[in-house]
Amino acid sequence: MKTTISVIKADVGSIAGHGLTHPALLSKCEEILGKAKEESLLEDFYVTNCGDDTELIMTHRHGEENEEIHELAFTAFTEATAVAKELKLYGAGQDLLVDTFSGNIKGMGPGCAEMEFKERPSDPVVVFCMDKTEPGAFNLPIFRMFADPFNTAGLVIDPSLHNGFEFEVFDVMEHKKVTLKCPAEMYDLLALIGTISRYVIKRVRRIDDNEIAASISTERLNLMAGAYVGKDDPVAIVRSQSGFPAAGEVVEPFAFPHLVGGWMRGSHNGPLMPVAQKNAYPVRFDGPPRVMALGFQIADCKLVGPADMFDDPAYDPARKQAAEIADYMRRHGPFEPHRLPADEMEYTSLPGVMEKLKGRLEDMDELL
Ligand code: 13P
Ligand code: 13P
Ligand code: MG
Ligand code: MG
Ligand code: MG
């Protein structure tokens, strides 16, 4: 019998501004998932938040893209939205782009990462949740976990990883996908995934046996909505140990607070700060962007845990560095490369300003 982990997330309202999910929303989701567990649709669940995003971490026996599971998540977010409206929370229902569910939650606003596998004798899994950034923020750390021997010692010294991993990459602009093997096609992979706003890693599999290793949410909210409604704060599920990177190798890339798109109004580059769940509350300039890591053991489709993995003083230097980089980046104010480049600004509220200036832009005859 196989186990499925589905992590489905949405921002359906927060205090104050885009800061923090209200506990009443988490309780409402727990109540709804609790009923689904009683009715045996779910085997287990854990509800949490990263900043203003509510994350539903669910285990079940129904496989990926299951209609009932997706509808359950949609119902939880819809009912939590009603609570958010009563409390006049900020951005109540922000990420729900439609009123009624039809078939699959993808394309409706929430982000979704899922994987199905046969449980090993011991199955450690890490669920990463980010706020104030976008799916491409996972490209660098996921690459390092599964393809960089300077991060993951196991790629070199453990025969069960030595043949490498393959990466399924989505082009979110052109709706195309490609699978590239590492180490053989590493340079091709890097040529794509360095463009974090367009090419995003969706899945990683072990080359030896095609076993699923990682799954990342790739939904781009603003591309779906056709207007800026918020950032597509992503989640990822990563398996570890015994044929996969060790848990410590899975969290190691986040000791470097790399620059990601998001932050204020989803329009700025800033450092990704690894934090304990209690600090997954982006305040300064609505940021800087955060990532938290919850470690679980999966036991007969139950979630044992979580361990709050970035609640570790060894990440203090990364947090300090992120705060220093945040200072440095902020001093650029509205200038690139703090502000996102023009092509990315098309998916924000800037086009409204450009529209206003349209009539005043003259053709010029001066030579350049
Ligand atoms: P333990 O001896 O603590 O299980 O550690 C083994 C290991 O491989 C750590 O990466
Ligand atoms: P969220 O996507 O987290 O709601 O952030 C939106 C925003 O504009 C923050 O300034
Ligand atoms: Mg929000
Ligand atoms: Mg958010
Ligand atoms: Mg968002």
Side-chain angles (χ1 to χ4, degrees):
M1 214 183 333
K2 286 187 169 179
T3 295
T4 307
I5 307 177
S6 299
V7 182
I8 305 184
K9 52 78 48 181
D11 174 354
V12 290
S14 49
I15 45 171
H18 289 284
L20 199 59
T21 311
H22 192 283
L25 307 189
L26 303 181
S27 309
K28 180 50 82 181
C29 290
E30 276 165 3
E31 179 193 318
I32 289 161
L33 299 195
K35 273 187 216 142
K37 188 176 166 180
E38 274 169 33
E39 291 160 6
S40 301
L41 175 60
L42 292 183
E43 290 292 323
D44 206 358
F45 67 88
Y46 185 77
V47 177
T48 188
N49 73 292
C50 183
D52 59 4
D53 291 275
T54 297
E55 268 89 16
L56 313 178
I57 302 169
M58 302 175 283
T59 50
H60 56 91
R61 299 289 189 192
H62 309 291
E64 291 181 34
E65 309 221 1
N66 177 272
E67 186 169 342
E68 277 183 275
I69 298 293
H70 282 210
E71 184 164 21
L72 172 67
F74 190 84
T75 304
F77 291 136
T78 307
E79 299 221 359
T81 296
V83 176
K85 284 185 174 157
E86 268 170 41
L87 297 171
K88 291 181 72 176
L89 295 186
Y90 194 74
Q94 177 181 285
D95 288 358
L96 294 185
L97 303 178
V98 296
D99 298 328
T100 43
F101 179 79
S102 62
N104 190 313
I105 205 161
K106 289 184 181 168
M108 297 184 174
C112 183
E114 300 185 287
M115 60 164 67
E116 186 186 30
F117 55 84
K118 195 168 176 301
E119 282 180 28
R120 297 169 291 165
S122 177
D123 228 303
V125 162
V126 184
V127 175
F128 291 98
C129 309
M130 295 183 181
D131 189 31
K132 302 297 178 273
T133 187
E134 58 193 17
F138 273 113
N139 284 3
L140 185 150
I142 293 282
F143 170 81
R144 296 199 65 204
M145 285 172 216
F146 293 100
D148 179 1
F150 283 77
N151 180 86
T152 297
L155 293 167
V156 179
I157 66 175
D158 181 347
S160 69
L161 280 75
H162 201 81
N163 289 331
F165 291 86
E166 59 176 42
F167 294 70
E168 188 181 319
V169 177
F170 283 6
D171 175 346
V172 295
M173 300 293 181
E174 294 291 323
H175 290 264
K176 291 189 189 326
K177 62 178 181 178
V178 60
T179 298
L180 295 166
K181 287 183 163 58
C182 275
E185 299 173 299
M186 179 185 293
Y187 301 156
D188 298 303
L189 176 68
L190 286 169
L192 298 184
I193 64 171
T195 307
I196 55 176
S197 58
R198 174 164 178 175
Y199 297 100
V200 294
I201 301 170
K202 179 65 193 175
R203 283 186 195 83
V204 181
R205 294 180 186 278
R206 189 164 57 205
I207 288 174
D208 277 343
D209 55 5
N210 217 33
E211 188 66 19
I212 186 73
S215 174
I216 302 104
S217 71
T218 48
E219 287 75 17
R220 290 290 318 262
L221 193 59
N222 306 327
L223 300 182
M224 289 189 261
Y228 183 68
V229 292
K231 208 66 177 170
D232 358 70
D233 316 295
V235 290
I237 310 167
V238 180
R239 297 174 77 194
S240 75
Q241 303 290 154
S242 315
F244 298 115
E249 291 166 337
V250 166
V251 290
E252 174 65 9
F254 298 93
F256 164 50
H258 67 296
L259 292 171
V260 298
W263 208 346
M264 174 58 70
R265 297 169 186 271
S267 307
H268 295 82
N269 286 311
L272 184 68
M273 183 185 272
V275 288
Q277 198 280 328
K278 67 175 189 296
N279 292 321
Y281 174 25
V283 176
R284 182 182 177 189
F285 199 58
D286 286 1
R290 305 290 153 114
V291 56
M292 60 187 229
L294 299 182
F296 295 94
Q297 291 291 140
I298 310 299
D300 300 319
C301 215
K302 299 284 188 292
L303 291 162
V304 180
D308 192 349
M309 298 179 80
F310 291 145
D311 192 6
D312 173 357
Y315 282 92
D316 286 348
R319 291 187 268 268
K320 185 165 178 282
Q321 193 179 24
E324 284 163 3
I325 296 166
D327 260 336
Y328 174 82
M329 294 300 282
R330 278 302 303 127
R331 286 165 70 186
H332 294 80
F335 284 79
E336 298 177 10
H338 181 28
R339 202 212 66 189
L340 294 185
D343 57 338
E344 274 296 293
M345 295 302 286
E346 281 174 37
Y347 308 101
T348 69
S349 43
L350 184 68
V353 177
M354 295 310 289
E355 185 62 33
K356 225 178 81 183
L357 290 178
K358 220 167 77 181
R360 292 175 54 188
L361 287 172
E362 301 168 41
D363 289 328
M364 61 177 215
D365 32 26
E366 274 167 74
L367 289 176
L368 284 174

